[in-house]
Amino acid sequence: MTAPVDLETQARLVGGASHFSTHCASCHSAPGVEAEDMAVGMYPKPPVLKDVAQRYTPGELFWILKHGIKMSGMPSWADHGDDDLWNIVAFLGSLPGMNSSDYQALVAQAGAAGGHHTHHDMDMPMPRP
Ligand code: HEC
């Protein structure tokens, strides 16, 4: 998988922060945010992802998100569109330099931009009378 050329844009970062705070931080923690109790008891334990982008290429991270990790608690996120997954990859790429206030600012920006899942809502069929 080749990363999109606009991977490093702020829009992707904000979109990724929105997904990360909703779906990932509970297991993987985030800057200034602890993982939840459930995740602490998991085996294998969900790793903190701070340096994950240094160990995998964007294409590999995309693959992990799309397929999950076999025989572990890491789910597949294939029900998210590819664009969402790339946003999360972009977010992971900027985790190394991110402190908790950077993270909070991104999540707040995502909320101000309409928050999580707005684009999925548009896919929902309209109820018919
Ligand atoms: C239910 C808990 C859970 C959730 C939610 C979850 N993960 Fe994971 N994740 C795991 C576990 C457990 C592993 C470790 C698997 C292993 O070691 O084999 C993992 C591994 C990973 C890895 C590989 C890390 C490495 O060092 O090899 C990445 C990247 C990752 N997760 C990203 C994410 C992202 C991004 C999200 C949100 C879209 C997410 N995960 C949501 C449990 C979770």
Side-chain angles (χ1 to χ4, degrees):
M1 239 2 221
T2 319
V5 287
D6 68 344
L7 190 64
E8 316 259 302
T9 57
Q10 182 72 8
R12 284 202 181 273
L13 193 56
V14 169
S18 160
H19 283 284
F20 194 88
S21 61
T22 313
H23 298 300
C24 321
S26 57
C27 278
H28 286 289
S29 78
V33 179
E34 302 264 325
E36 288 171 13
D37 290 352
M38 175 197 75
V40 175
M42 286 176 74
Y43 183 80
K45 199 167 177 279
V48 175
L49 298 177
K50 190 152 181 76
D51 66 346
V52 83
Q54 283 148 15
R55 288 184 284 116
Y56 297 99
T57 65
E60 287 168 340
L61 287 172
F62 181 89
W63 193 96
I64 291 173
L65 297 182
K66 186 108 174 169
H67 299 281
I69 299 177
K70 212 163 45 168
M71 305 296 282
S72 86
M74 173 59 187
S76 156
W77 300 92
D79 61 327
H80 282 52
D82 284 2
D83 223 41
D84 283 346
L85 298 184
W86 284 121
N87 289 350
I88 300 170
V89 170
F91 174 85
L92 294 176
S94 52
L95 261 181
M98 197 182 295
N99 64 27
S100 64
S101 50
D102 298 334
Y103 176 65
Q104 292 309 333
L106 282 173
V107 174
Q109 237 178 302
H116 184 64
H117 273 169
T118 39
H119 43 297
H120 292 290
D121 293 346
M122 291 189 302
D123 294 334
M124 299 236 299
M126 294 300 283
R128 301 221 172 253

